[in-house]
Amino acid sequence: MEIDATQDTEYYKTLDCLLQNNEHYGNTAKALFIHRNTLTYRLAQIENHLGVDMHNSGIISYLKFCINLIKNNESELNA
């Protein structure tokens, strides 16, 4: 989220959408209205910034957990 704010990117939104679509690239690209190559590029950038392998099921589970925590925290702050 900090990188998005400072570099005007949409990595958080991309990652969230990918996880909501169960890592399905085609559905994620459609939902974001971007080309699949753009999605692949963004995911490579996310992997690079986070230092993780997005093809590791343990990492995916951890990222889902983290995003759910962020969303729950945001909803509590807005309540």
Side-chain angles (χ1 to χ4, degrees):
M1 293 170 72
E2 292 175 17
I3 292 170
D4 286 346
T6 59
Q7 298 180 8
D8 195 32
T9 59
E10 293 187 341
Y11 296 148
Y12 176 78
K13 179 180 176 182
T14 302
L15 180 59
D16 183 30
C17 190
L18 177 74
L19 297 175
Q20 288 179 17
N21 284 290
N22 297 314
E23 302 89 57
H24 190 277
Y25 283 28
N27 291 344
T28 302
K30 284 180 186 178
L32 293 171
F33 301 103
I34 60 174
H35 192 276
R36 188 178 166 107
N37 291 345
T38 303
L39 175 62
T40 303
Y41 172 80
R42 286 184 187 177
L43 294 176
Q45 293 299 308
I46 292 167
E47 283 183 326
N48 185 40
H49 286 294
L50 296 178
V52 298
D53 176 10
M54 297 288 290
H55 301 287
N56 181 317
S57 62
I59 297 295
I60 293 296
S61 295
Y62 178 72
L63 292 172
K64 284 180 181 180
F65 173 75
C66 291
I67 287 181
N68 283 332
L69 281 178
I70 291 168
K71 287 180 178 181
N72 287 336
N73 189 36
E74 288 174 347
S75 66
E76 286 181 15
L77 291 175
N78 293 329

